[in-house]
Amino acid sequence: MIIKPRIYKRAVLQTMFFIATAIALPAFAQQKTEDPLLKIYRGSAEKINDLIHTKLDIRFDYKKRYLYGKEWITIKPHVYATDSLRLDAKGMDIKTVAIVKNGKNIPLKYTYDNLSLAITLDKKYQSTENYTIYIDYTAKPDELKLEAGAAITDAKGLYFINPDSTEKGKPVQIWTQGELESSSAWFPTIDRTNQKTTDEISMTVPGKYVTLSNGRLASQKKNADGTRTDTWKMELPHSPYLFMMAVGDFKIYRDKWRDKEVSYYLEPAYAPYAKDIFGFTPEVIEFYSKILGVDYPWNKYSQIVVRDYVSGAMENTTATLHGSYVQGTARELADRYYDKGRSTIVHELFHQWFGDYVTAESWSNLTVNESFADFSETLWAEHKYGQDTGDDHNNEALQTYLENPANATKDLVRFHYHAAQDMFDEVSYKKGGRILNMLRNFLTPDVFFKGLNIYLKTNAFKNGEGQQLRLAMEEASGKDLNWFFNQWYYGAGHPLLDIKYKWDEATKTQTVYLTQTQEGKAFQLPMAVDIYNGTQKERHQIWMRSKSDTLTYKLPAQPKLVNVDADKITLSKKTDHKTINEFLFQYQHAPLYMDRLEAIEAATAQQKDPAAQQILLAALQDKYYGLRIKTMNSIDPQNIALTTPAIPLILKIAKTDDNNLAKAEAIKIISVTPDAARQLPIFTEGLKSSSYAVQGASLFAMSILKPAESLAIAKSFEKDNKGELTKALTTVYAQNGDDTEWPFVYKNYQESDPQAQFEMLKDFAMMTARVKSPEYSAQGINALKAIGIKYKSQGAGPVITGVLDQIKKVRQQQNDSSSVKLIGEAQQQIKDKKD
């Protein structure tokens, strides 16, 4: 699964007259150490009975939002004889429980507490005996109240989207979300990760709709009442949380990998772009199959995009379900490069091996699912887009982990937590992915992937945990890896690494002082140290095993650069005391993205130094667009000595760069320079671009230079705008528009994802304050209130309350008493909402 914190980055709300603060959207709730639930040991679920096969016959009541189900569940005792069975069944009406004997249903005694179904069997069964239970039930997911979390924001398992067609423009859909243990909200099962079962699901749906489930579509039968019954069969075992169904008006694009079907299910509006969105999937399947030495193990691979999804995406076996953010038109996708959508697609696909083929035996060992999927994003980035993109993605994930100090208190494998939802955090994802990247580097890629091959083949269609991964890697490498797993998997934190240097001319000795400044244990750190004598590089492999270490090297002359952790792979927070001239040499001669990034960051802090200026000017011409963008945003516009030579380079990016995002950023910067009016042809040309990002930046520039004209230009874009162009339209309308433009602003704001809403907050709030209509103002106030309530636990409450205070002052000046009253009510509702 990909989770929303993976999608939405930290947003800073800065406005002309609004409170400036920062919100993590969303962030994971930090558990208090005195929480008694943290004292519970969370081991693997005891296996008394084993699932073998699950057969479901399902119908839907759209009006009531019910599922009417009949189930035949085949089970056997795991090892000890038993005369009882306990199934998870959340919020259901249980009508019949029987055992199937010779084709007949013989009623059984049972008790049900709305969460768990305890069944007394007709006899004691041995581990060699299978038995089949029949259950007739009704699932009522909308009446189910269960604790959810920040990662997966709802736990009712089955979702009816616009079932009564009352929301204009929204399709009617049904879909499921089984992780963590929510499949048991729509069928009784042993809802544990260490259970595996084959399945057969028959869905009776309105004939106009398409269905999707795990495995193959075995049959379709038209019924006399206008419905159709589709039967899907999953003939290889998988865990109950990976079961899925989806029903709705989807167009199917059929692709292929080798001789297996690959298909993409999209709403009709996005169907023309199916190949643009998902078309690289067969290439990814081939890449993963080859590097793992295990061909894609299932009979098909489908991807479906649904509305109102409660997380990021979900790796249901053979049928991944995506939130709507992955889709886009060809123009939108042209601005995305290796974005959250593409990285999500490869993340979920890797789960088909790590999570579905071999499944974490408990949520405590979630790392063998999610750390691998997170790591796979870097693998694909390197393979498809190059080492710089892979290193950028890897570093971004590392910084996400490092920015929250609470992450350093958590083990990767955690046997104590408040709720299983808490495992879906930056430690399981970001830290775990970086640990795997370190292990690949330490063992070498060939040995690392050999270890993964052993792990997958040894545990195929079964369950795995961290220790099994260790054993596989030890078998592949011949190395004892207890130190690595004890340190990174079963221990918390990371090193704070301080690096200092000293050259002794008299003795021709280079000394490097390494210190780990974190509290507690020292980390064992195998690292490469590269020493540059001129342009010649000499590599030394070292181990740091204590809190402090001193390295000495006898050299013929003072080196130009000593590059510690030269592979830039160690999971740490580094303070590196190189001189700015050494960083300049590093930028010019060390090969990696991180070498250049470290130099750029050092130069950013010393922009008056000529060597720092040399770094930044070179970085404006860096081969990687991400570093060009970072450098443009790092330059102090007040530093004339730097901006004078920088502006021509930024102008060149604005005119000729082949990357839309870099070009757009350059246009934004040029638009606020004193000479911006002379560059009007660049902005005019940018308005004609096929890129929404370039058009948006150009429109923003026009709003500064020619405000009146920008309003007319914005109007011309209303029929076709997305992303950055939509944000630019909102800016223009907020500054220069009136009530006529409000419906456009309000509609697009409501339809934007949460990150985009936060980025447009300044302009949206400004227009909410400015519009003359109290009705329009009320719409804006209610939209802001909804954000304050929904994201209060992530810090949005006081921010939105402050924003509403500023709007209130403007509305008071306009004598709009109804809006003033509404603001007071909204602020109280935000205050009353429990975190």
Side-chain angles (χ1 to χ4, degrees):
M1 166 168 281
I2 199 97
I3 57 177
K4 284 182 178 176
R6 163 73 184 77
I7 300 164
Y8 303 120
K9 307 224 171 41
R10 189 168 297 272
V12 180
L13 313 181
Q14 294 181 322
T15 73
M16 296 166 59
F17 56 96
F18 300 105
I19 293 175
T21 189
I23 297 178
L25 175 60
F28 293 94
Q30 298 177 17
Q31 301 301 331
K32 296 180 180 179
T33 55
E34 65 269 17
D35 185 346
L37 293 178
L38 292 177
K39 298 179 180 179
I40 300 172
Y41 176 78
R42 311 284 188 171
S44 300
E46 183 181 3
K47 297 176 77 171
I48 299 170
N49 287 284
D50 291 343
L51 298 174
I52 296 174
H53 184 68
T54 304
K55 180 179 179 181
L56 298 170
D57 185 350
I58 286 168
R59 297 171 182 268
F60 302 100
D61 187 325
Y62 283 77
K63 184 177 181 180
K64 293 182 179 180
R65 305 187 185 204
Y66 286 178
L67 176 154
Y68 301 119
K70 299 181 187 297
E71 177 178 35
W72 295 263
I73 183 168
T74 302
I75 296 173
K76 77 173 188 66
H78 181 69
V79 64
Y80 302 114
T82 184
D83 60 0
S84 64
L85 169 66
R86 183 175 291 275
L87 298 175
D88 299 292
K90 299 182 177 77
M92 299 179 180
D93 288 340
I94 305 296
K95 300 175 182 178
T96 302
V97 177
I99 192 159
V100 181
K101 294 276 189 174
N102 300 318
K104 295 183 179 179
N105 296 331
I106 301 172
L108 295 175
K109 293 181 180 179
Y110 66 91
T111 59
Y112 180 54
D113 64 3
N114 210 46
L115 293 175
S116 179
L117 182 62
I119 302 169
T120 302
L121 303 175
D122 60 324
K123 68 166 193 169
K124 182 171 283 191
Y125 286 84
Q126 303 298 319
S127 61
T128 55
E129 296 179 280
N130 295 353
Y131 60 91
T132 298
I133 300 295
Y134 168 75
I135 303 172
D136 187 353
Y137 66 98
T138 301
K140 302 181 290 184
D142 280 33
E143 298 174 21
L144 184 61
K145 303 298 180 186
L146 291 173
E147 180 181 0
I152 307 168
T153 58
D154 200 290
K156 63 185 180 182
L158 176 66
Y159 297 81
F160 289 84
I161 306 303
N162 197 23
D164 47 12
S165 300
T166 55
E167 296 183 64
K168 187 178 180 181
K170 177 177 282 191
V172 176
Q173 296 176 352
I174 296 173
W175 46 264
T176 61
Q177 165 55 41
E179 196 171 37
L180 283 58
E181 295 171 0
S182 297
S183 287
S184 50
W186 60 276
F187 67 96
T189 188
I190 304 174
D191 207 352
R192 301 293 182 271
T193 64
N194 61 357
Q195 290 285 339
K196 297 255 180 170
T197 172
T198 55
D199 72 71
E200 176 181 329
I201 303 178
S202 295
M203 288 177 270
T204 299
V205 301
K208 62 183 178 179
Y209 291 143
V210 167
T211 69
L212 177 65
S213 189
N214 313 98
R216 65 183 177 90
L217 180 58
S219 67
Q220 291 186 299
K221 177 188 174 185
K222 291 184 178 180
N223 303 313
D225 61 358
T227 63
R228 189 186 70 254
T229 301
D230 290 356
T231 298
W232 293 82
K233 291 187 177 182
M234 183 68 192
E235 291 154 330
L236 294 172
H238 63 145
S239 294
Y241 80 90
L242 297 167
F243 280 39
M244 73 84 67
M245 298 184 299
V247 183
D249 180 15
F250 299 101
K251 299 296 182 184
I252 308 172
Y253 183 99
R254 300 194 187 278
D255 211 337
K256 193 176 185 181
W257 173 74
R258 297 184 187 176
D259 61 345
K260 294 184 178 182
E261 178 187 317
V262 176
S263 54
Y264 320 128
Y265 289 63
L266 290 154
E267 291 179 33
Y270 282 96
Y273 312 107
K275 194 77 171 175
D276 300 289
I277 299 165
F278 291 120
F280 64 101
T281 300
E283 185 184 355
V284 188
I285 298 175
E286 182 70 17
F287 172 62
Y288 288 163
S289 295
K290 285 183 175 178
I291 64 169
L292 296 173
V294 175
D295 284 348
Y296 178 77
W298 313 103
N299 69 307
K300 75 150 194 307
Y301 188 59
S302 299
Q303 296 177 89
I304 187 168
V305 181
V306 301
R307 291 289 188 99
D308 298 349
Y309 187 49
V310 294
S311 191
M314 181 61 207
E315 67 274 11
N316 310 296
T317 316
T318 78
T320 287
L321 190 148
H322 289 284
S324 58
Y325 69 90
V326 301
Q327 64 192 4
T329 65
R331 286 186 65 190
E332 288 178 274
L333 295 169
D335 286 343
R336 292 184 183 175
Y337 301 92
Y338 192 52
D339 69 328
K340 64 187 181 183
R342 289 186 174 97
S343 63
T344 295
I345 288 168
V346 301
H347 175 116
E348 302 306 328
L349 180 50
F350 208 65
H351 269 310
Q352 298 296 316
W353 286 267
F354 291 90
D356 297 6
Y357 188 59
V358 181
T359 308
E361 70 171 12
S362 69
W363 300 121
S364 294
N365 274 278
L366 182 65
T367 177
V368 298
N369 288 11
E370 294 300 349
S371 299
F372 275 105
D374 190 274
F375 169 62
S376 76
E377 299 172 28
T378 295
L379 281 180
W380 177 250
E382 292 173 354
H383 173 77
K384 183 65 177 177
Y385 301 97
Q387 190 68 43
D388 282 351
T389 304
D391 290 349
D392 185 5
H393 195 80
N394 188 70
N395 181 59
E396 182 183 5
L398 173 62
Q399 298 310 315
T400 299
Y401 159 74
L402 290 174
E403 71 183 6
N404 184 355
N407 289 333
T409 66
K410 303 173 185 177
D411 297 345
L412 180 57
V413 177
R414 254 166 287 162
F415 293 102
H416 296 87
Y417 49 74
H418 170 85
Q421 279 273 11
D422 301 339
M423 291 298 299
F424 290 75
D425 63 3
E426 287 101 343
V427 176
S428 293
Y429 286 71
K430 307 304 182 189
K431 184 182 182 182
R434 310 298 63 76
I435 288 168
L436 290 169
N437 205 30
M438 283 196 298
L439 188 59
R440 175 179 58 151
N441 181 264
F442 175 68
L443 296 179
T444 72
D446 286 349
V447 174
F448 175 79
F449 287 115
K450 180 182 177 182
L452 296 191
N453 178 270
I454 293 168
Y455 170 81
L456 288 170
K457 288 182 175 178
T458 301
N459 303 294
F461 303 109
K462 295 186 291 186
N463 296 92
E465 61 166 76
Q467 296 292 10
Q468 289 167 314
L469 178 63
R470 175 183 64 82
L471 292 171
M473 290 297 176
E474 288 184 343
E475 181 180 342
S477 67
K479 296 178 182 290
D480 183 288
L481 294 173
N482 274 293
W483 70 270
F484 185 93
F485 280 79
N486 289 340
Q487 174 172 286
W488 293 113
Y489 278 77
Y490 303 100
H494 54 269
L496 306 179
L497 188 59
D498 187 84
I499 309 167
K500 292 185 173 72
Y501 310 88
K502 179 183 177 183
W503 169 253
D504 188 320
E505 181 64 28
T507 62
K508 303 293 185 182
T509 302
Q510 176 68 58
T511 305
V512 182
Y513 302 99
L514 303 178
T515 308
Q516 295 183 34
T517 62
Q518 75 278 1
E519 294 182 4
K521 66 184 180 184
F523 284 79
Q524 294 187 57
L525 303 176
M527 292 185 289
V529 178
D530 286 349
I531 299 178
Y532 288 79
N533 294 295
T535 57
Q536 298 299 311
K537 179 178 73 174
E538 183 178 280
R539 171 157 289 198
H540 302 266
Q541 296 291 346
I542 64 116
W543 280 77
M544 185 181 186
R545 290 188 168 93
S546 58
K547 280 294 196 71
S548 61
D549 202 353
T550 302
L551 312 176
T552 57
Y553 302 98
K554 291 285 188 179
L555 301 170
Q558 182 176 2
K560 294 289 187 180
L561 174 69
V562 178
N563 200 8
V564 177
D565 187 28
D567 288 329
K568 307 301 179 192
I569 210 76
T570 303
L571 197 166
S572 65
K573 190 169 186 179
K574 286 193 297 186
T575 303
D576 198 329
H577 297 274
K578 293 188 181 85
T579 67
I580 194 63
N581 284 307
E582 288 169 331
F583 273 118
L584 172 59
F585 186 93
Q586 178 172 309
Y587 182 88
Q588 293 171 333
H589 298 284
L592 299 177
Y593 164 88
M594 288 302 300
D595 292 313
R596 283 136 52 216
L597 176 63
E598 287 176 356
I600 292 167
E601 290 177 340
T604 299
Q606 305 176 57
Q607 295 190 31
K608 293 185 178 180
D609 188 288
Q613 294 173 8
Q614 196 174 342
I615 292 170
L616 295 173
L617 293 173
L620 288 173
Q621 304 166 78
D622 196 277
K623 64 180 180 177
Y624 181 58
Y625 77 91
L627 291 180
R628 298 197 297 275
I629 292 173
K630 181 173 181 62
T631 305
M632 284 189 280
N633 286 322
S634 298
I635 293 175
D636 179 4
Q638 304 303 316
N639 186 344
I640 303 302
L642 180 57
T643 58
T644 299
I647 289 300
L649 297 173
I650 296 173
L651 267 171
K652 183 179 178 182
I653 295 172
K655 291 176 180 178
T656 64
D657 204 285
D658 60 0
N659 183 277
N660 293 337
L661 301 182
K663 180 178 283 190
E665 199 62 40
I667 289 172
K668 289 179 187 176
I669 291 170
I670 294 298
S671 71
V672 293
T673 60
D675 243 5
R678 292 179 55 196
Q679 309 306 331
L680 192 61
I682 294 178
F683 310 139
T684 303
E685 186 65 25
L687 292 171
K688 303 173 187 175
S689 173
S690 62
S691 162
Y692 288 127
V694 173
Q695 283 187 323
S698 301
L699 179 59
F700 174 80
M702 296 297 288
S703 73
I704 297 171
L705 297 174
K706 294 183 176 294
E709 289 183 28
S710 71
L711 188 62
I713 296 169
K715 286 283 189 183
S716 72
F717 287 136
E718 279 198 7
K719 290 184 179 179
D720 183 10
N721 61 90
K722 298 285 184 181
E724 293 302 311
L725 181 55
T726 304
K727 294 174 191 174
L729 263 65
T730 302
T731 298
V732 170
Y733 289 160
Q735 294 175 352
N736 305 306
D738 55 30
D739 287 36
T740 306
E741 286 74 45
W742 173 259
F744 173 88
V745 171
Y746 179 68
K747 177 178 181 292
N748 281 278
Y749 190 80
Q750 290 291 84
E751 293 178 355
S752 295
D753 66 37
Q755 180 65 31
Q757 286 184 336
F758 273 74
E759 291 170 357
M760 292 190 287
L761 180 62
K762 176 189 74 173
D763 294 319
F764 182 76
M766 183 189 299
M767 200 162 186
T768 298
R770 286 183 60 242
V771 289
K772 294 181 180 179
S773 166
E775 178 186 350
Y776 289 166
S777 180
Q779 288 178 338
I781 292 163
N782 285 326
L784 293 167
K785 176 185 73 174
I787 291 174
I789 290 174
K790 186 171 184 178
Y791 298 109
K792 183 179 179 182
S793 63
Q794 287 81 44
V799 175
I800 297 300
T801 298
V803 168
L804 290 171
D805 271 335
Q806 300 298 330
I807 295 173
K808 183 178 179 180
K809 292 177 182 177
V810 178
R811 302 311 295 185
Q812 284 174 330
Q813 292 172 3
Q814 296 178 1
N815 297 316
D816 179 7
S817 58
S818 63
S819 292
V820 170
K821 180 182 178 183
L822 186 61
I823 288 170
E825 294 169 349
Q827 290 174 319
Q828 188 62 47
Q829 290 174 46
I830 294 171
K831 180 181 178 182
D832 292 343
K833 172 68 168 60
K834 294 182 179 180
D835 290 345

